[in-house]
Amino acid sequence: MKKFVTFIAVLLAGATAFAQVHIGAGYLQQNNDYANGKDSDTALNGFYAGASFDLPFSVDGLSLSPGVYYSYLTGTSSASILGGAISGSATTVEQYITVPVFFKFSVPVGPGNLFCNAGPEFAYGLSSKVTGSGSVLGVGGSTISDNYGENSNYRRYDVKVGVGAGYQIGMFSINLGFDWGLLNRNLNTNGTALHTNNLRAGIGLHF
C-alpha cells in the first residue's frame, strides 16, 4: 500500500510540473428544483474558493482540469401574520467540498484565450443546519436543526454535471458556469424528488 501511495504522489507531482495551476473564488447560488415543478422560495447565496490545475492533452487547447473547492451558502425565509403579532424565520447554512473533473478547451481570441469546460462534479456536504426563530406577541425563542443528523432525509452527497465558459488574459480570468444536480437529495421515499442546481461566477489567477 505504501508503494502504491508513493507512486500516486510521484505521478501527481510529475503531472503538476507540466500543469497550469488555477486559484479561483467567486459568487455561488444554489436553487432547489422539485419534481413537482415548484422551486424553493429562497435561494441560498454564498461563495466558493479553491484550486485546480490544467493537464494538457496532445490536442492543442484541450486539457483535463481536476480541482478541489470549498463553498459556503446561506439563506433566510420569514413570514408573519396578524400585523406581525405572530412571526417566524428560518436561516439555512450549508458548507460543501466539491471536486470537479472538467474537460477544458481554449482558443486564442484577441489578447487572451476564450475557454469552455464541462464535466462531472462530486459534492460532499460538510454541514447543513437550519436556525428557526419565532415570536408571539413579542415572546419568542429559537431552535437549531441538523439536516444531516440522525434519521435525516437529506442526502449529504451529490453528483452534478457542470458547464462553464470564461476568458483569460495573462494570469487573470473571469468565468461563469452552471451545475445540474443528478441525485435526488430527498431520501424520504414518500416525498417529492429534490435536486440542487448551482449558478457560479468568479475570477481566477493562473500560475
Side-chain angles (χ1 to χ4, degrees):
M1 175 61 77
K2 287 184 177 180
K3 290 183 178 179
F4 177 74
V5 172
T6 301
F7 170 75
I8 294 298
V10 171
L11 185 64
L12 289 175
T16 55
F18 297 96
Q20 183 180 61
V21 179
H22 167 228
I23 299 174
Y27 167 75
L28 186 66
Q29 182 184 84
Q30 176 177 287
N31 291 279
N32 292 331
D33 183 14
Y34 292 94
N36 60 10
K38 178 183 177 182
D39 292 335
S40 63
D41 294 331
T42 303
L44 300 184
N45 297 279
F47 69 90
Y48 70 89
S52 62
F53 55 92
D54 296 340
L55 297 172
F57 291 106
S58 57
V59 178
D60 265 355
L62 183 63
S63 60
L64 182 67
S65 298
V68 178
Y69 289 85
Y70 165 81
S71 60
Y72 177 94
L73 295 155
T74 185
T76 299
S77 59
S78 59
S80 64
I81 58 175
L82 301 178
I86 301 176
S87 63
S89 65
T91 299
T92 302
V93 175
E94 294 194 342
Q95 301 178 72
Y96 291 91
I97 290 293
T98 302
V99 179
V101 184
F102 285 171
F103 289 93
K104 178 180 177 181
F105 185 72
S106 302
V107 293
V109 175
N113 291 317
L114 179 68
F115 63 86
C116 58
N117 50 36
E121 291 182 300
F122 307 93
Y124 181 81
L126 299 174
S127 68
S128 178
K129 294 184 179 182
V130 179
T131 301
S133 61
S135 66
V136 178
L137 299 177
V139 178
S142 63
T143 60
I144 299 177
S145 60
D146 187 353
N147 289 331
Y148 297 143
E150 189 176 355
N151 301 320
S152 169
N153 290 321
Y154 189 50
R155 188 188 299 275
R156 182 183 288 269
Y157 60 89
D158 198 5
V159 177
K160 301 177 184 291
V161 171
V163 297
Y167 191 73
Q168 178 183 346
I169 299 179
M171 293 177 56
F172 303 97
S173 68
I174 57 173
N175 62 84
L176 180 69
F178 193 85
D179 312 310
W180 287 271
L182 300 182
L183 300 184
N184 177 15
R185 302 292 300 277
N186 185 7
L187 297 176
N188 186 345
T189 56
N190 296 322
T192 301
L194 165 65
H195 296 83
T196 54
N197 305 320
N198 294 337
L199 173 68
R200 47 188 164 81
I203 58 176
L205 288 175
H206 302 257
F207 303 93

